[in-house]
Amino acid sequence: ELWFRAAGDEAYQLTMKALRAVEKGDFTGALNLLDKLTAQYPHFAEGWNRRAKLYWQVGKYEESLADCRRVVELHPVHFAAWQGIAMCQVHLGDVESAAQAVQGAPDQTARRPRQPLPQTLRRAAPSRFPQGGSSRISSVIAAGMPSPVMRRAS
């Protein structure tokens, strides 16, 4: 809840209303609230993160990716945003960038130990990375390509 209060009481109230709308399945209402939140509080990372999560839930991966990138610009150690970048990139077919995002993400706290990269990518998109099919993931890691994580979607 600390993150939700970072921009003050009004931002907190908008965030809570949006979360309640999502819980009720009112994605349009939640999106309207989160649009208002990000417009009024453009430096409030959690507003962008919540909207990214909503976009993810409704399958709008490019929009989610853009919002995750904004979160990382505002708060570079926001692990969930880095994870969101990777998951969106996998769903958009950019496995190399997803691997770079996972590898480049800041270390997590001791409460949540880091999963090995293949396991993380399988969790993000199990149909693209079936159990035992690590060759594609390994080739991405071995390539050692420069990080395209912050590249803007075209």
Side-chain angles (χ1 to χ4, degrees):
E1 194 171 303
L2 175 67
W3 294 107
F4 294 152
R5 293 192 179 274
D9 288 336
E10 186 179 345
Y12 173 77
Q13 293 304 321
L14 280 171
T15 303
M16 291 299 105
K17 285 180 186 177
L19 292 177
R20 284 191 295 275
V22 168
E23 287 173 4
K24 293 177 184 175
D26 180 10
F27 298 130
T28 300
L31 182 58
N32 289 336
L33 290 164
L34 292 168
D35 286 344
K36 181 178 179 181
L37 181 64
T38 56
Q40 288 182 343
Y41 301 92
H43 299 291
F44 180 42
E46 197 56 35
W48 295 97
N49 187 56
R50 290 292 137 182
R51 194 171 75 171
K53 186 175 179 180
L54 175 59
Y55 279 140
W56 167 265
Q57 287 177 283
V58 298
K60 293 188 173 191
Y61 303 117
E62 290 179 9
E63 292 88 340
S64 180
L65 180 58
D67 281 1
C68 286
R69 286 179 172 144
R70 180 69 177 133
V71 174
V72 168
E73 288 172 9
L74 293 168
H75 191 66
V77 296
H78 196 295
F79 184 81
W82 282 102
Q83 184 179 37
I85 288 170
M87 292 171 62
C88 289
Q89 288 170 323
V90 166
H91 279 275
L92 293 170
D94 190 354
V95 178
E96 291 80 12
S97 293
Q100 292 293 326
V102 171
Q103 288 182 319
D107 287 336
Q108 298 177 46
T109 63
R111 294 180 297 138
R112 293 155 65 191
R114 183 176 289 229
Q115 293 181 344
L117 180 59
Q119 189 176 357
T120 300
L121 291 175
R122 277 192 199 94
R123 196 180 96 215
S127 64
R128 292 181 189 252
F129 302 104
Q131 194 68 22
S134 297
S135 61
R136 186 169 183 202
I137 297 170
S138 298
S139 67
V140 168
I141 296 168
M145 298 165 52
S147 178
V149 170
M150 296 307 289
R151 176 176 68 209
R152 295 283 179 208
S154 48

